[in-house]
Amino acid sequence: MRTSLKLVLSGALIAVTVAGCNRPAEKAAEPSQVMKDTFASCTWEKVEGKSLSIWSYACGPDMGNVRLVVDDKVGGFSLAAMPPDSLTPRVVIRTFTKDKAAAVTSVLPAVLKATGAHGASCQLVETDYGDWGKVYLLEPTGAQKADYDRLNAIEPQPNPCGELGIGPAGDRFFRVMADDPAKVIYYDMGSEIQIFDPETLHSK
């Protein structure tokens, strides 16, 4: 009986091992045609951190040696150039955690702590943001927002809510991860097409 049981267990282990070896390779995400045209000389690759993965281009000397690098300190990724000292890394994706059932605004204290100097009225405001759909912007509210809009219409104003907030140029916004409602992701998409595709971001 013991010998038979060992044979059965061994057979099961072999079957599992073989099944694992035959598992199809993960299909690569497909970049948009605009990305393909813009970064034609760059290499499309998956970048993996401890908790997130994303697809991005890694570019050579003709495109500034720019690539996306893991930044686990903020639970996300930064843009950097190789060698690293040729460009100060800029955080473009960072994670803020919340209870799955909690509102996005529950991460506001952590966001304000991370954003640096900011106005007292800054809040996470739900906004219909063009191609990005419904997202949250870190922006001033009430009279402070009215003053910012008035002055910004005359000449560009500094970010009133710190480096993660709205500003005169670039797209910076927050939204809940589609595959993990406990994560609110901050994206800095700049003012031009980026080498990474935020739609390929996944939890691990």
Side-chain angles (χ1 to χ4, degrees):
M1 290 291 291
R2 290 181 179 176
T3 302
S4 299
L5 181 58
K6 287 182 178 180
L7 290 174
V8 170
L9 291 174
S10 297
L13 181 59
I14 292 172
V16 170
T17 302
V18 171
C21 292
N22 291 333
R23 186 178 301 160
E26 179 184 356
K27 185 178 180 180
E30 186 72 15
S32 67
Q33 190 59 52
V34 173
M35 294 183 77
K36 289 180 180 179
D37 295 341
T38 304
F39 305 110
S41 64
C42 304
T43 302
W44 183 241
E45 62 185 17
K46 188 177 185 181
V47 185
E48 297 189 81
K50 290 180 179 179
S51 60
L52 298 175
S53 66
I54 193 170
W55 285 82
S56 177
Y57 280 103
C59 299
D62 60 324
M63 294 287 285
N65 280 322
V66 178
R67 64 196 61 208
L68 201 67
V69 296
V70 173
D71 192 340
D72 285 322
K73 290 183 297 184
V74 298
F77 304 92
S78 292
L79 279 180
M82 301 298 159
D85 59 358
S86 62
L87 176 70
T88 300
R90 177 170 64 90
V91 176
V92 291
I93 292 175
R94 66 168 71 211
T95 301
F96 296 92
T97 58
K98 68 178 184 67
D99 291 336
K100 290 183 179 180
V104 172
T105 51
S106 66
V107 303
L108 179 62
V111 170
L112 294 180
K113 183 178 180 180
T115 198
H118 59 273
S121 74
C122 292
Q123 300 287 327
L124 288 171
V125 180
E126 186 176 19
T127 306
D128 193 348
Y129 206 52
D131 293 341
W132 301 115
K134 287 191 179 300
V135 301
Y136 286 79
L137 303 181
L138 180 63
E139 61 180 35
T141 55
Q144 190 177 21
K145 178 66 159 62
D147 286 344
Y148 171 76
D149 288 341
R150 177 176 56 81
L151 294 173
N152 200 53
I154 301 172
E155 63 178 329
Q157 297 295 303
N159 293 8
C161 293
E163 62 182 39
L164 305 187
I166 62 168
D171 294 328
R172 291 176 290 277
F173 56 87
F174 301 77
R175 63 182 179 184
V176 178
M177 280 202 70
D179 67 348
D180 191 345
K183 291 176 181 172
V184 176
I185 306 299
Y186 161 78
Y187 299 87
D188 181 349
M189 299 303 298
S191 55
E192 300 178 353
I193 184 170
Q194 296 297 318
I195 63 174
F196 60 92
D197 182 357
E199 302 305 328
T200 67
L201 187 71
H202 290 290
S203 283
K204 297 176 63 178

